[in-house]
Amino acid sequence: PPPPPPPPFRKILIANRGEIACRVLRTARAHGIPTVAIYSTADVKSAHVSLADEAVCIGPPASSESYLDIDKVCRAIEETGAEGVHPGYGFLSENARFAERVEAMEVNEGPHGGPTGAETNEEKKKEKKKEKEKEKEKKVKFIGPSAHAIQSLGDKIQSKLIAEAAGVSTIPGFNGVVTSPDHAVEIAQE
């Protein structure tokens, strides 16, 4: 039989803690993907930290100063060279701004080597074209819905309108904002 394909990532960071982080870590390990855990000082001895191949402390126990601090999580992504980020659930998993930041990041591959070896102008042009094609591959991948999907589906009215436009059956009802108790009664009587 042919050898299995290479893993889709050389390394992923799990931007969460606890059982969800452990599940993602075990799944990644089963697929041969090295992992990075992030943790607060209160979680230094947690299972997800010991299960990961690498671990980065991102701050004090308060979630707002660690797991929810987008700058600190992104710094950990950059420092470790993670190619993908799995948000788990809760924390930053439904934060479109976080997904956008991750999707805009480039994989930190450390110092780059010297010249490519292309000697003619034609070879240099081909090399530049290959580099441009690989630029998309060098972006960090958010392992979850896109920022656009998070924004669209995080709003119940907007998600219902999207579903209706796609021809998906929805529960009949009001698709706007209820502005007052009287307005709610008026809608209910329709």
Side-chain angles (χ1 to χ4, degrees):
F9 299 101
R10 287 184 300 195
K11 185 189 303 185
I12 65 170
L13 181 140
I14 296 82
N16 217 301
R17 66 178 177 197
E19 183 56 28
I20 186 59
C22 291
R23 289 179 184 190
V24 175
L25 289 159
R26 286 187 200 105
T27 301
R29 178 167 288 147
H31 290 279
I33 303 170
T35 56
V36 179
I38 58 172
Y39 64 95
S40 74
T41 53
D43 294 324
V44 69
K45 293 184 180 184
S46 294
H48 79 283
V49 176
S50 60
L51 278 173
D53 297 298
E54 296 176 50
V56 177
C57 183
I58 56 168
S63 296
S64 61
E65 296 178 43
S66 55
Y67 297 100
L68 293 172
D69 188 322
I70 292 173
D71 290 335
K72 288 180 180 177
V73 176
C74 288
R75 199 170 310 120
I77 296 165
E78 188 174 78
E79 287 172 6
T80 61
E83 292 181 335
V85 177
H86 194 297
Y89 60 81
F91 285 133
L92 295 172
S93 67
E94 295 177 19
N95 186 314
R97 200 167 60 90
F98 177 62
E100 285 173 348
R101 273 285 289 279
V102 169
E103 291 169 349
M105 293 179 72
E106 290 191 17
V107 175
N108 182 5
E109 298 186 48
H112 295 284
T116 61
E119 296 186 7
T120 67
N121 282 339
E122 192 59 37
E123 287 173 335
K124 286 180 183 178
K125 284 180 186 176
K126 286 180 184 178
E127 199 63 40
K128 282 192 176 203
K129 185 177 179 181
K130 283 183 187 178
E131 285 177 24
K132 283 186 178 181
E133 289 171 7
K134 286 188 173 185
E135 279 182 25
K136 285 185 179 178
E137 293 174 20
K138 289 183 180 179
K139 293 287 187 188
V140 177
K141 306 283 190 283
F142 184 76
I143 305 170
S146 69
H148 175 72
I150 293 169
Q151 287 172 329
S152 299
L153 300 178
D155 178 311
K156 288 184 179 14
I157 294 169
Q158 182 65 24
S159 61
K160 186 174 179 183
L161 295 173
I162 290 169
E164 287 174 350
V168 175
S169 297
T170 61
I171 297 171
F174 182 67
N175 288 339
V177 176
V178 178
T179 57
S180 69
D182 290 337
H183 187 214
V185 170
E186 179 184 323
I187 293 165
Q189 291 174 344
E190 290 178 3

